[in-house]
Amino acid sequence: MPTDNLTHLKLDHTVILVNNLDQAVQDYTQLGFTVSPGGEHAGGISRNALIHFQDGTFLELLVMKPGARTQLLKRMYKSGLLKAYQKSAKYGMAHRFYGRALDLGAPAPEREGITDFCLLADHVAEDYLQMQKQGVQLTPPYHASRIRPDGQTVSWQMYTALDEALPFFRTDYSPKITRPTTALQHPNGVTGTQKMVLFVEDYDTTIQSYEQLFSGSPTQQTDDSVVFTLDNGAIEVVNHHKSLRHQEQALVKAQGIGRFAQVMRTDNPDFVAQMQQGNTHGLVFLET
């Protein structure tokens, strides 16, 4: 059952915006990941491929598809209309996902990378009410779906905080998907996600937002960061201005969009170095 401090929320998945999905699948396969087919999201605006891990987390390689609906979202975004509907269920999620992608401008290699990450909320009604009780402003739950390559439609509910410093949230898939063991095994030795790392400009405000979300949750604090511990991992918020982790920040800025990085669970001591030798399409992996 859910608890008042929401520490039962789990790291779920990371969204990596790519320009060419087929190329990204090929590159991640060469890096030792087992990539599974995803599908096309309802409305045909985007499609994805997925990299699943033994701890239940996954990476989502996402590409925006050209077409009339994408052009409509672009016009709504540029005119400010998409933001005007930010509090609605459907367009609130669209503003977050596609607004972030559109804000990156024309597709270019340097604009690939993590655009967002998600927490899994098993108890959608209770968790939603608890977040509201703690003062977190949310969009209404939105029913989403995608069609798998085998033709099966999977659906789920998701919602997001209006404060975009926070992650978004989803329920488990319906019908529940059981992954074959082969899809969870990766030649590079990765078994899951250990931590999401956020390098932020507005550190004090971001910390306040996470403290509001995880009220009463255990934390580890240093001079330049706070780590919020969850049921299956952690979220670390790092002060961009005070941090001495200059090499990590430079790596994130050079290879990715400039804010997010990720620490994986693996017994492979050379994993990060191996990833730096290939094309991760802007996803930056850090040492523990």
Side-chain angles (χ1 to χ4, degrees):
M1 291 298 294
T3 58
D4 288 346
N5 63 17
L6 295 171
T7 54
H8 61 278
L9 294 175
K10 297 179 176 67
L11 292 178
D12 183 58
H13 74 278
T14 305
V15 182
I16 303 108
L17 179 70
V18 301
N19 296 326
N20 184 315
L21 186 59
D22 293 336
Q23 184 63 54
V25 169
Q26 179 179 330
D27 291 336
Y28 270 84
T29 301
Q30 290 178 348
L31 286 168
F33 290 98
T34 301
V35 185
S36 300
E40 184 171 298
H41 291 101
I45 297 176
S46 58
R47 64 188 182 99
N48 64 12
L50 307 170
I51 302 172
H52 291 276
F53 302 113
Q54 295 175 27
D55 67 352
T57 64
F58 65 97
L59 305 179
E60 178 183 16
L61 305 175
L62 180 76
V63 67
M64 291 188 67
K65 297 179 61 179
R69 292 179 66 89
T70 302
Q71 292 302 317
L72 174 61
L73 279 177
K74 285 184 178 181
R75 291 195 295 271
M76 291 179 67
Y77 177 73
K78 290 179 179 179
S79 68
L81 189 59
L82 200 57
K83 186 173 180 61
Y85 286 101
Q86 187 181 9
K87 294 183 180 181
S88 73
K90 180 178 180 180
Y91 287 106
M93 298 305 300
H95 175 267
R96 181 176 181 114
F97 294 140
Y98 302 117
R100 287 187 180 193
L102 294 170
D103 199 33
L104 301 177
E110 66 270 21
R111 291 300 190 181
E112 295 182 305
I114 300 176
T115 59
D116 216 334
F117 72 103
C118 177
L119 300 184
L120 184 65
D122 291 327
H123 311 278
V124 59
E126 296 93 333
D127 291 340
Y128 189 89
L129 291 174
Q130 183 61 37
M131 290 182 204
Q132 288 186 316
K133 179 181 177 181
Q134 292 173 192
V136 180
Q137 296 186 57
L138 302 163
T139 62
Y142 174 66
H143 292 269
S145 64
R146 64 175 169 84
I147 302 174
R148 292 171 34 153
D150 60 8
Q152 182 182 32
T153 298
V154 293
S155 60
W156 63 95
Q157 291 187 68
M158 59 183 180
Y159 51 92
T160 182
L162 298 186
D163 182 346
E164 294 192 16
L166 297 174
F168 69 100
F169 312 90
R170 78 166 181 93
T171 62
D172 204 352
Y173 294 121
S174 178
K176 190 174 180 65
I177 300 173
T178 301
R179 308 289 175 189
T181 303
T182 53
L184 307 178
Q185 296 175 338
H186 305 278
N188 59 26
V190 174
T191 60
T193 304
Q194 180 174 325
K195 182 170 62 176
M196 292 300 304
V197 183
L198 287 67
F199 294 95
V200 300
E201 298 278 348
D202 196 348
Y203 180 72
D204 291 338
T205 301
T206 303
I207 291 298
Q208 289 175 6
S209 296
Y210 276 88
E211 287 178 340
Q212 185 177 44
L213 175 63
F214 298 123
S215 175
S217 67
T219 60
Q220 298 175 347
Q221 189 166 358
T222 67
D223 290 340
D224 65 354
S225 71
V226 175
V227 177
F228 296 88
T229 304
L230 303 182
D231 185 66
N232 67 337
I235 300 170
E236 182 178 17
V237 181
V238 182
N239 189 332
H240 167 75
H241 299 288
K242 292 182 63 176
S243 176
L244 298 178
R245 295 155 65 172
H246 302 306
Q247 185 174 358
E248 290 185 356
Q249 292 189 79
L251 190 63
V252 170
K253 187 173 183 180
Q255 293 189 13
I257 291 172
R259 180 179 179 185
F260 299 100
Q262 198 156 337
V263 177
M264 308 305 292
R265 299 184 191 277
T266 178
D267 292 329
N268 178 2
D270 300 320
F271 170 73
V272 171
Q274 291 170 357
M275 295 303 102
Q276 292 174 357
Q277 300 302 312
N279 185 359
T280 62
H281 293 262
L283 172 53
V284 177
F285 296 105
L286 300 180
E287 303 282 0
T288 56

